[in-house]
Amino acid sequence: MRTPPRRGAALATAAAAALLAGLLGPAAAHADTPPSDDISSDNVDFVTNVPKPEAVSNVNSDLAFTGDYAIGGNYDGFVIYDISEPEDPRIVSEVVCPGGQGDVAVSGNLLYFAVDYPRANDECGAPAVPTTDPDGFEGVRVFDISDKANPQYVSAVRTDCGSHTLTLVPGDGEREYVYVSSYSPSVNFPNCQPPHDKISIIEVPLDDPASAAVANEPVLFPDGGNHEQPGLLLPTQGCHDITVFPSKDLAAGACMGDGILMDISDPLEPVVTEVIQDENFAFWHSATFTNDARTVLFTDELGGGGAPTCTEEIGPERGANAIYTLDGEGANATLEFASYFKIERHQGDQICVAHNGSLIPVPGQDFFVQSWYQGGVSVIDFNDPKNPREIGYFDADSRIDPDIQDNDTWSAYYYNGYVYSSDIERGLDVLKLTDPRLRSAERVTYDEFNPQTQPVYRPGR
């Protein structure tokens, strides 16, 4: 979330402040000392950085990958990078199309782009309007990126409460789907009315993507979600993000006050099969399955991404990852809590909390690379779900090296031999993992990678 959405911004900010005040107490203070002696561990090499271009210079958000290209979302639009030479990435194109959030997913020649701040209409140049404007547009924009140097705007699909995040769900070759997550309804918002306990599902005919439209709005919490737990940043109002594992017909939802499992064997009719809560979680933010779908890692964005939570005072169980094992199969699967993981490199007054990451595709093993905002990029071994540990990091910090720009990383993903970090301020960072335990991941290559649409990997695939 990072900057709370304009809708419910005061509520989210107040909730975060109250929560942190309650955790810290009136006398607590953060020690502002460097978290380590070096900006990276010995097994993580900084390769290069591509600064944000002037045209698309707002908050960097998520990443998607296709072939030799990385696509970086931004609150102002998106940037396409040529990463055929990871040591020397080049900007191929910049698309200015403001709308906030800028979550992205790619499928062949199509790019889906999330719009979560209302505009006067669905055109890229439309000015911002208040959320109370019934004609304001929020939702998903569709682009044709067959020519990476000249993307073309195809269409837009309005969704209730906009699109904070989106997830590509493969279809049958003739159509595919986009799960749209959004939240913070209000009786004052004509296009975002409570209760908002649903998601939107966009169906995209692949032979005519301009006719993409909302095909269903399934209610995931027919009895209402978690509203009563002390310390929630926001009550459950739909979901914040959904990760799908198409080959297993599974999805995991991070839904503010709840974590859920879903059966997506019918993509248009997802069925919630398990709902869990955690007294230490303030905001269920995202989820990742292991390659065998026997474990799920959920993240908690304590403070909404606007507060220093990687501190001794907050402790190791809040603003952390929660690791659950899956027992059983399909609709009978249940989630069993295994452990928490949080970086131990205390960040003082810097904003730090668990955020977006992906598996490092080591066949038969469970390793994860993850962003922690100003806590940098962490490499995590969770082969033993009850005993996860950090085995590497990159944390550009001017307290350690006064000549370096501080990091503030939104997403960190492993793709075809390198880690790409979408940094809110620095732009695009490229890292190389040199740990022998991770070497076999270099034999796994993707033609396309959306981190919230998990593939099954094996060597050479």
Side-chain angles (χ1 to χ4, degrees), residues 4 24 51 58 62 66 75 79 89 140 151 173 182 196 229 237 283 295 313 347 353 367 369 396 399 401 423:
L24 291 174
N58 206 322
D62 218 356
T66 179
Y75 280 35
V79 178
V140 174
S182 53
H196 185 74
Q229 179 179 313
Q237 305 160 341
F283 191 86
T295 305
E313 294 86 357
Q347 300 293 314
V353 71
F367 296 97
V369 61
R399 294 172 297 179
D401 182 351
D423 194 283

Side-chain angles (χ1 to χ4, degrees), residues 103-107 110-114 139-142 157 159 163 165-171 175-181 199-204 212-216 218 242 244 267-268 453:
D103 204 19
V104 289
V106 63
S107 175
L110 297 178
L111 175 71
Y112 303 104
F113 181 88
V140 174
R141 291 191 175 112
V142 183
V157 181
T159 59
S163 174
T165 63
L166 51 79
T167 303
L168 175 72
V169 184
R175 61 189 59 82
E176 61 192 14
Y177 306 93
V178 179
Y179 285 4
V180 178
S181 298
I199 61 172
S200 298
I201 301 179
I202 297 173
E203 182 173 329
V204 185
V214 173
N216 196 13
I242 295 171
V244 297
L268 272 176
T453 308

